[in-house]
Amino acid sequence: MASNSPVAKESMFAETEGKNGVENMISRVASSNATVKSQQRGEPDLTISEKVSILRNIFDISPGSFLMRFGNYLVEDDLKNFDHLNEDYEIAFQLKELSETFDTKKKKIGVRNRRFQCLQRLMKDSDYFSEEKMRKRSPLLYEQYIGQYLSEEEKFERDKAEKGHELSLSELLMGRQEKQMDEWLLEYERDQEDGMEEESDSDSDGLKGEVESGSPLKGCPTEQEKMMLHEEFLSVMQDRFMRGEEQEFDYGTVDANTEFDDLKIRERDEEERYFDSED
């Protein structure tokens, strides 16, 4: 009858859950590209079931060796399978190292997610990713993807559209000064880029209609190709933002700001913290 007591049931459940956790961990490692056993050339590859058997044996005999060899293939939940071995110094040290690695990865993922949420807001609620603003931030990229294919008339219409009205004499003069500044910045960026690029003797012939980053189409592009260039320019600028390369943007207002966390993820994390505090 004792086996039906709540304490006994809880103990049996924990034991079963622990075994399942170990089996899931071993199956995951076996399905990865981890080298489970050294093999001679010509030997047939190990099957998943053979890998599982070898991994289970390593885990049972030497959990520390298992951690050292396959720690990079584990997920955070797998560390629970070693909690009962925390008194072993080497295992405790490896668990600490892996925990810090997972924390770093989570922080990087968190930063990337927050920047993505911020990017979505900027796309929707501001002109940060408008052609005008992107041109101001990166005149060289703009020239490569868009500017070099514009006629003088198109450039004039672009400038007029950005002002929102017919240009007055003073605005034309101011526009000339801005143009000179943009041209100076463009030349500066070109010099910087030329200094960083290595000379290459190989010439690549791109297929018509395909656009590679930093390699716009030669000649006069069609309207469809111009649209592709616009999309590519926007994509490059978005990538720059995600990588933290917009020098004038204050990433500190985003990277550590929980307001940019995905609502569902935030609710899940808060729920997990609540239940952790209950334990």
Side-chain angles (χ1 to χ4, degrees):
M1 296 296 293
S3 61
N4 292 326
S5 68
V7 175
K9 287 182 179 179
E10 185 175 343
S11 177
M12 289 175 61
F13 175 78
E15 184 178 351
T16 302
E17 190 178 44
K19 288 181 179 179
N20 290 338
V22 171
E23 290 304 312
N24 289 337
M25 174 184 69
I26 288 174
S27 296
R28 194 182 311 107
V29 176
S31 300
S32 71
N33 61 353
T35 301
V36 174
K37 174 187 174 184
S38 298
Q39 292 183 272
Q40 299 296 323
R41 182 178 298 177
E43 280 190 76
D45 292 338
L46 295 171
T47 64
I48 295 295
S49 60
E50 288 173 332
K51 289 182 179 181
V52 166
S53 178
I54 294 170
L55 288 166
R56 189 182 292 117
N57 189 52
I58 296 172
F59 178 80
D60 290 340
I61 294 175
S62 178
S65 177
F66 186 96
L67 263 181
M68 184 176 295
R69 291 178 58 183
F70 308 111
N72 290 336
Y73 299 94
L74 304 185
V75 298
E76 190 170 14
D77 281 347
D78 292 336
L79 302 189
K80 297 176 183 177
N81 299 319
F82 301 87
D83 282 348
H84 62 292
L85 301 168
N86 252 323
E87 293 183 2
D88 185 299
Y89 174 79
E90 290 187 5
I91 291 178
F93 178 80
Q94 291 179 63
L95 289 174
K96 182 175 180 294
E97 291 280 299
L98 286 171
S99 293
E100 290 175 354
T101 299
F102 288 127
D103 287 342
T104 301
K105 288 180 179 178
K106 283 196 292 186
K107 287 178 182 177
K108 288 182 178 179
I109 292 172
V111 166
R112 186 168 68 244
N113 288 340
R114 287 171 182 173
R115 287 182 183 177
F116 179 75
Q117 291 297 324
C118 180
L119 184 150
Q120 296 299 310
R121 294 189 193 182
L122 290 173
M123 289 286 294
K124 181 181 178 182
D125 302 327
S126 77
D127 62 351
Y128 188 81
F129 285 102
S130 67
E131 185 176 305
E132 176 187 0
K133 297 295 185 182
M134 292 190 294
R135 175 166 63 91
K136 295 294 185 184
R137 294 200 301 276
S138 186
L140 178 57
L141 278 176
Y142 175 84
E143 182 66 17
Q144 288 176 336
Y145 284 97
I146 299 174
Q148 65 172 315
Y149 304 115
L150 296 179
S151 65
E152 290 302 318
E153 182 180 353
E154 287 174 322
K155 291 179 182 179
F156 178 81
E157 291 298 325
R158 175 200 65 194
D159 295 341
K160 186 173 72 173
E162 288 178 358
K163 295 294 182 181
H165 54 77
E166 292 289 342
L167 301 179
S168 64
L169 179 59
S170 61
E171 287 175 327
L172 284 171
L173 293 174
M174 183 67 70
R176 286 181 183 176
Q177 292 179 344
E178 290 180 355
K179 184 178 180 181
Q180 290 174 348
M181 180 61 71
D182 289 343
E183 288 175 350
W184 178 87
L185 184 56
L186 179 60
E187 287 302 316
Y188 174 77
E189 286 194 343
R190 278 177 176 158
D191 291 341
Q192 291 291 103
E193 187 177 77
D194 291 341
M196 295 175 63
E197 287 182 350
E198 295 181 357
E199 293 185 0
S200 175
D201 296 328
S202 59
D203 295 324
S204 57
D205 296 325
L207 295 176
K208 187 177 182 181
E210 292 184 349
V211 181
E212 296 181 3
S213 179
S215 303
L217 300 172
K218 294 181 180 180
C220 183
T222 64
E223 289 303 314
Q224 183 179 1
E225 289 169 340
K226 284 183 179 181
M227 289 179 62
M228 291 175 62
L229 288 166
H230 275 77
E231 292 172 0
E232 181 74 9
F233 177 55
L234 173 60
S235 177
V236 170
M237 293 300 289
Q238 289 174 333
D239 287 342
R240 278 166 52 107
F241 178 83
M242 291 295 293
R243 291 195 300 267
E245 295 176 0
E246 292 291 0
Q247 296 181 1
E248 295 183 4
F249 187 85
D250 185 3
Y251 286 95
T253 62
V254 175
D255 294 352
N257 191 345
T258 57
E259 290 184 6
F260 288 103
D261 286 342
D262 183 271
L263 185 58
K264 291 182 179 179
I265 295 176
R266 197 191 315 171
E267 288 176 348
R268 185 195 64 195
D269 290 344
E270 289 176 354
E271 184 177 298
E272 288 178 354
R273 281 197 295 270
Y274 171 79
F275 285 113
D276 287 343
S277 66
E278 290 288 296
D279 294 340

